[in-house]
Amino acid sequence: MRASLSSWVVSAMTSNPVSLADVRAARERIAGTIVRTPLVRLNVDDAEIFLKLENLQPIGSFKLRGAGNAIALADRSELAKGVYTASAGNMAQGIAWHARRLKIPCTVVVPDHAPETKLAAITRLGAKFIKVPFDEWWQVIVTRRYAGVQGVFIHPVSDPAVMAGNGTIGLEILEDLPDVEAILVPYGGGGLSCGIATAVRALKPNTKVFACEVETSAAFAAALSAGAITKIEYKPSFVDGIGSGSVLAEMWPLAKSLLDGSIVMSLAEVAEAVRTLAERNRVIAEGAGATPVAAAIAGKAGEHDHAHRIVCVVSGGNIDLEKLAKIFRREI
């Protein structure tokens, strides 16, 4: 039986609701449905930058891990009614992929700026989507409900089972590169970075784990600067997989205790990283997935701690082809 929302919030305010044992159990649980993605070196001169290629998952993003673990732990009788989530596209695909595998209904509430590539993928996977204004979509994430939709709601960020599934990435990184000095992770709501940091802190506490954000929606950086959750103006951009108007209340205690800071990059730097990944490694990354690479290339992960062996989590590759073409033409 999964923990109730109230017990999760209380736990989050006092300690990490996810343990190393949870992450290891999640790894066993999802082993048959996810790809153990490779760790490859970024082909740039004089830098030990490595890429954890989660864009190679069957749905093109890491979300398959957390979605699979959460669905596996959900109450069977409730799950029979269906499953739903709120997502800009990648978690939607993760939930929809597993729902199709289990032959259960799936609905996704998406923000009005969700890219067509991700919406088409949701439909292709057999799920329905409901498009709403960004503020309304964010309220679904905050309240964990959307009127008129039945079934199990799986939170895309702060569900402990989702974070445990995400944390399996950390286990794989440490196995493939035991002497990693810093891990750079895109920060959307904190579920990926905190999941990875949970595993890394337990096994290699001296390894730094940094959140990576984009200048148009760096809510975690703003909260760190203010010492408290702060509302910011969210500006939609081609980096649609990360960013929000504020840090989720239940994630703030975890993120500030588990992560070593936030690295904020400009849209131009992220676009350049998208180009670099394609040109040097033939890797297609969406904006969120390229943000850690932009930070690593800029030398920001090792600026104060002299970290030289860096892993960038390329979280996904689901980008509209027209956006990608514009980036290649240097129009973004």
Side-chain angles (χ1 to χ4, degrees), residues 192-217:
L192 176 60
S193 52
C194 289
I196 290 173
T198 294
V200 173
R201 287 277 176 267
L203 295 170
K204 199 169 186 296
N206 291 332
T207 297
K208 305 289 186 181
V209 181
F210 290 98
C212 293
E213 300 182 277
V214 68
E215 61 186 352
T216 51
S217 54

Side-chain angles (χ1 to χ4, degrees), residues 22 25 43 77 87 114 117 147 149 161 185 201 213 222 239 248 265 270 288 292:
D22 293 327
N43 296 323
S77 61
S87 167
T117 293
V149 179
V185 190
R201 287 277 176 267
E213 300 182 277
V239 187
L248 285 166
M265 305 307 296
V270 175

Side-chain angles (χ1 to χ4, degrees), residues 59-318:
I59 60 164
S61 91
F62 75 97
K63 294 287 191 178
L64 202 65
R65 296 175 184 261
N69 193 46
I71 287 178
L73 289 172
D75 181 273
R76 298 292 99 181
S77 61
E78 288 297 314
L79 200 58
K81 302 174 186 176
V83 64
Y84 74 106
T85 191
S87 167
N90 281 340
M91 186 60 165
Q93 292 177 63
I95 298 292
W97 191 91
H98 286 289
R100 183 179 66 176
R101 177 175 62 86
L102 297 171
K103 297 180 172 57
I104 58 174
C106 178
T107 303
V108 184
V109 183
V110 304
D112 49 14
H113 71 278
E116 289 302 320
T117 293
K118 295 179 180 179
L119 297 179
I122 293 169
T123 302
R124 186 173 64 249
L125 289 167
K128 298 186 300 181
F129 65 82
I130 301 169
K131 187 181 288 191
V132 299
F134 180 84
D135 289 343
E136 184 178 342
W137 173 78
W138 186 250
Q139 281 305 303
V140 179
I141 290 179
V142 171
T143 62
R144 290 169 156 77
R145 62 176 62 89
Y146 187 80
V149 179
Q150 287 189 321
V152 176
F153 178 79
I154 295 180
H155 199 280
V157 176
S158 63
D159 186 316
V162 169
M163 285 194 284
N166 296 342
T168 61
I169 295 171
L171 298 180
E172 293 174 11
I173 289 172
L174 293 182
E175 288 172 356
D176 291 346
L177 193 68
D179 55 354
V180 58
E181 295 172 76
I183 300 173
L184 310 188
V185 190
Y187 190 96
L192 176 60
S193 52
C194 289
I196 290 173
T198 294
V200 173
R201 287 277 176 267
L203 295 170
K204 199 169 186 296
N206 291 332
T207 297
K208 305 289 186 181
V209 181
F210 290 98
C212 293
E213 300 182 277
V214 68
E215 61 186 352
T216 51
S217 54
F220 183 51
L224 289 175
S225 179
I229 296 173
T230 304
K231 283 198 171 185
I232 63 168
E233 181 184 0
Y234 173 82
K235 299 177 181 177
S237 73
F238 76 93
V239 187
D240 55 75
I242 55 175
S244 63
S246 67
V247 175
L248 285 166
E250 67 269 25
M251 292 304 297
W252 171 236
L254 288 178
K256 70 178 180 179
S257 65
L258 286 172
L259 304 177
D260 290 286
S262 173
I263 302 171
V264 181
M265 305 307 296
S266 70
L267 290 176
E269 289 170 316
V270 175
E272 182 60 33
V274 171
R275 286 191 291 270
T276 298
L277 284 165
E279 291 170 356
R280 300 296 183 90
N281 282 72
R282 297 299 184 257
V283 166
I284 299 301
E286 60 188 274
T291 302
V293 180
I297 291 173
K300 293 192 175 182
E303 186 176 16
H304 302 296
D305 301 294
H306 308 291
H308 300 294
R309 202 163 289 105
I310 299 166
V311 170
C312 302
V313 178
V314 182
S315 55
N318 295 317

